Amino acid sequence: MFGFSARVERLSPRRRTAWGGALAVLCLAGLGVAATAGGLWALLLLPSGFFFLVACWMVAPWFHGLPDVWRRRGSGSTLVLYAMSVAGFILIVWRTAQTDAGAAAVLLAFLWPLHALYVAFEPTDFAWDRLRARLGRAVHLRVVMLWAGLAGVVWLANWAVQDSDKYRVLVLGATLTLTLAGVAASLKVYARFRKLCTALNRQAQSLLRSLEELADAADDDRTKHRQSALRAWDTLHELVVTKADTGFSIAGVFVLPPAAVEELEQVVMTAVEADRGDEAVHRFAAQRLRAIQEACRGRIDAMA
């Protein structure tokens, strides 16, 4: 960013935090103006959201030095910011509809692709404690935003032919088609999610069993059981770096954030290479694997 990051890195921790906090306050003010003023002021929505993320990056070193209880609360506040952004956007749609229904319909439809930015708001701290909620938010919000986009398209189509009866039947047919497509797409998202959860649970259980067999194996058989555990990890690794809500590379939420994936790999590799009888290492690996299974509880469908 034209040397911006390097200049920020050279600042003292106190100045970096102060400038980041001031930028965050300014961005929140911009979001408030965009949500309430309407009109061209709505253009402040995207840059305010972007620069708020920059502000979060600036204050990150100070934030990571806080006690865990405050870090948990602070990292969760990004979800509140996302909810406020969506609520502000919907308020803009409502205010615009008072004077220009067509523009309001376009804005509502735009909410669907705008959801691609959600991944920047999803907390990555305390990933294991938040794993179940992380997966649920990803898939449910994906479906909600899909329907918001479809509603905008249908609204725009009806607004375009409001003064003409010639295309009413065509618009009605398109509305029914889009509705059925939305139902099919929603069912596909949930079916994919259940299939992913089933695979995660199954592979976590397979790796757990492999590690248990390795821990109990005699010295002559440990090499064979190590290979079995490594193969189980390879498959599980593919699953935890899969996106829970979409198959697109440019949008969606990973099952685990990258830092948590690296931690899990280190834990598993340590357990695989541990000496026989090192129960603490195997117990910690089992704890992580059971956390994955717990996140998938109630979402398993062997027939998906």
Side-chain angles (χ1 to χ4, degrees):
M1 295 174 59
F2 307 104
F4 172 76
S5 60
R7 287 194 291 270
V8 171
E9 294 290 347
R10 289 196 294 267
L11 292 174
S12 66
R14 181 174 297 180
R15 285 190 174 184
R16 175 171 175 166
T17 302
W19 280 108
L23 180 60
V25 172
L26 185 62
C27 291
L28 289 175
L31 288 172
V33 171
T36 56
L40 293 177
W41 289 105
L43 298 176
L44 284 174
L45 191 66
L46 288 179
S48 295
F50 171 76
F51 283 109
F52 184 85
L53 296 178
V54 173
C56 291
W57 168 74
M58 292 178 68
V59 302
W62 166 81
F63 176 75
H64 288 300
L66 294 175
D68 285 352
V69 62
W70 290 107
R71 285 178 51 223
R72 186 186 296 271
R73 294 172 181 174
S75 59
S77 65
T78 56
L79 295 173
V80 177
L81 176 64
Y82 179 76
M84 291 173 57
S85 300
V86 172
F89 197 88
I90 294 175
L91 180 60
I92 292 172
V93 171
W94 178 79
R95 289 174 62 89
T96 305
Q98 311 303 312
T99 55
D100 190 345
V106 172
L107 288 174
L108 183 60
F110 187 66
L111 195 59
W112 181 24
L114 190 65
H115 181 62
L117 300 176
Y118 167 73
V119 66
F121 295 90
E122 178 62 41
T124 57
D125 291 341
F126 306 100
W128 297 102
D129 296 337
R130 291 170 165 165
L131 181 55
R132 182 174 179 83
R134 175 188 178 89
L135 298 179
R137 278 193 301 268
V139 68
H140 296 319
L141 285 177
R142 175 65 55 183
V143 172
V144 169
M145 293 304 175
L146 167 66
W147 280 102
L150 289 176
V153 172
V154 170
W155 186 7
L156 180 62
N158 281 274
W159 170 82
V161 300
Q162 61 182 343
D163 297 327
S164 175
D165 295 332
K166 183 178 180 180
Y167 300 102
R168 287 289 182 183
V169 175
L170 180 62
V171 171
L172 178 60
T175 300
L176 292 175
T177 300
L178 288 174
T179 301
L180 292 175
V183 171
S186 300
L187 292 176
K188 185 174 182 180
V189 170
Y190 283 120
R192 182 182 184 278
F193 181 62
R194 293 196 305 274
K195 185 176 181 179
L196 175 61
C197 288
T198 303
L200 279 167
N201 178 77
R202 184 175 297 157
Q203 200 57 40
Q205 184 67 25
S206 177
L207 180 53
L208 188 60
R209 292 286 182 257
S210 296
L211 291 177
E212 290 174 350
E213 292 171 356
L214 175 60
D216 297 335
D219 293 340
D220 294 340
D221 295 332
R222 290 183 67 79
T223 299
K224 178 181 67 175
H225 287 293
R226 279 196 179 101
Q227 293 300 321
S228 176
L230 289 174
R231 283 192 294 271
W233 162 247
D234 289 340
T235 304
L236 181 61
H237 182 268
E238 292 179 356
L239 294 172
V240 295
V241 298
T242 299
K243 292 185 176 177
D245 55 330
T246 176
F248 298 112
S249 60
I250 59 174
V253 177
F254 290 108
V255 171
L256 283 173
V261 174
E262 292 179 7
E263 180 206 345
L264 180 60
E265 183 173 13
Q266 291 177 0
V267 168
V268 172
M269 292 300 107
T270 301
V272 169
E273 299 299 332
D275 295 330
R276 184 180 180 184
D278 194 346
E279 297 182 1
V281 171
H282 287 275
R283 188 162 52 246
F284 186 59
Q287 180 183 357
R288 289 294 188 242
L289 295 174
R290 290 194 179 99
I292 294 176
Q293 291 183 302
E294 178 62 23
C296 298
R297 180 176 50 83
R299 297 166 172 171
I300 298 172
D301 184 356
M303 305 305 292

